Amino acid sequence: MHAPATLLMLVLALPVQAVTLRLCVDERSHLPFVTPKGEGIADVLVREAAREVGIALEYRAAPIARCREELRVNVADAFPMTPYTTALLGFVAYPMNGSEADPGRAVTSARAMVFRRVGSKVDWNGSAFAQLTAPVLLQFGSVLLLDRVKAMNVAIDDSGKTLDANFAKLLAGRGDLAIGSEFTGQVLLAQPQFNGKIEALPLPFTDEPYYLGISRRFRDANPQLTERLWEAIARIRHSPAYQRTVQKAVEDALRTLKE
């Protein structure tokens, strides 16, 4: 056998090294969507899609602001549940449809609701707040909510680490409204310390798709593989097997949050 042919056979016999996607995830759980251990519905979806297209995953849990910075400086490659917002466009790539992100290839969608003390006259009409006299309370690291509220030129307090911490601030009069996850908020409203004292206003503050946000560096280095990953996410998300996974995860999350 000629040497070039032998060399070619040896090269073809070498194991193919999988591309690794380094995921940074928030150290705090956001049930039922993401958890530090990768057990949320968005985590499961990304893991299944990565397995299908042959991408290896590495997980690292950190404060969400640190994850965002690590994505910006290319220490991390992706965040599993990323909003499409101007604050991230400089360094995060999304599955696109023309000039906008493609909701058909999102990992999930979620609503944020506006919560107030029962009896308060502070209001939200879907586009503006009324009768605010104290800050709007946001959860630390909520970049989409922070962008939206900042544009309204109202006082903001985003130092609270969790929505229940902001509910406690709300009851203490340290804010007029709290904005946060509809899922978590509804569970909290059933708890004795908040039941009958805080209510959700009827109109959502946001109702948005969330994406596997990937660093532009990783996308540029692996353009076809990245597109295949986003396509696999879209396909798996609508499969009956994944829908059953979602239903079970929601039930488990409700039990966890009520404990």
Side-chain angles (χ1 to χ4, degrees):
M1 184 178 292
H2 295 297
T6 303
L7 180 60
L8 177 61
M9 291 183 66
L10 288 173
V11 170
L12 293 175
L14 291 174
V16 176
Q17 294 296 315
V19 172
T20 298
L21 185 71
R22 300 166 299 174
L23 284 162
C24 191
V25 298
D26 193 358
E27 64 182 3
R28 295 179 181 273
S29 292
H30 299 270
L31 295 173
F33 305 106
V34 291
T35 76
K37 294 183 179 180
E39 297 168 344
I41 59 175
D43 302 312
V44 170
L45 179 54
V46 171
R47 190 162 56 248
E48 285 298 306
R51 183 190 57 78
E52 183 176 299
V53 302
I55 292 176
L57 298 181
E58 288 182 1
Y59 285 88
R60 162 178 161 72
I64 192 167
R66 185 179 300 169
C67 280
R68 192 156 52 244
E69 178 62 14
E70 290 190 0
L71 198 58
R72 188 185 69 81
V73 300
N74 297 313
V75 172
D77 300 315
F79 190 84
M81 189 177 168
T82 311
Y84 184 73
T85 186
T86 54
L88 304 178
L89 291 180
F91 57 93
V92 176
Y94 299 84
M96 301 298 289
N97 182 6
S99 62
E100 296 292 333
D102 182 3
R105 293 187 285 170
V107 294
T108 192
S109 60
R111 303 202 313 175
M113 304 302 291
V114 181
F115 302 91
R116 70 180 180 188
R117 291 182 297 277
V118 170
S120 170
K121 293 183 179 180
V122 180
D123 205 2
W124 163 250
N125 67 6
S127 60
F129 301 116
Q131 302 193 52
L132 274 178
T133 59
V136 174
L137 304 172
L138 303 177
Q139 192 170 327
F140 178 75
S142 300
V143 62
L144 174 65
L145 300 183
L146 185 60
D147 281 354
R148 299 284 174 86
V149 180
K150 272 185 174 179
M152 298 177 179
N153 295 313
V154 299
I156 298 168
D157 176 353
D158 66 338
S159 62
K161 301 293 186 183
T162 61
L163 186 55
D164 52 331
N166 281 340
F167 276 12
K169 285 186 176 184
L170 196 57
L171 291 181
R174 295 170 61 188
D176 275 341
L177 297 171
I179 304 175
S181 161
E182 177 181 39
F183 185 91
T184 303
Q186 291 301 327
V187 173
L188 291 175
L189 291 183
Q191 295 182 357
Q193 67 268 39
F194 304 125
N195 185 252
K197 301 173 186 176
I198 294 177
E199 61 186 357
L201 295 176
L203 296 176
F205 186 73
T206 59
D207 187 354
E208 297 285 332
Y210 288 78
Y211 303 88
L212 172 64
I214 294 178
S215 73
R216 288 179 176 269
R217 184 209 59 82
F218 183 95
R219 189 275 314 274
D220 292 345
N222 307 277
Q224 294 180 339
L225 189 61
T226 299
E227 289 293 328
R228 286 172 52 208
L229 179 59
W230 283 325
E231 291 293 340
I233 285 171
R235 184 170 57 257
I236 294 168
R237 182 184 174 192
H238 295 99
S239 69
Y242 179 70
Q243 290 303 312
R244 289 192 293 271
T245 297
V246 170
Q247 181 61 38
K248 183 178 184 304
V250 169
E251 293 169 357
D252 291 345
L254 285 170
R255 282 195 296 272
T256 299
L257 288 168
K258 287 176 180 177
E259 292 174 353

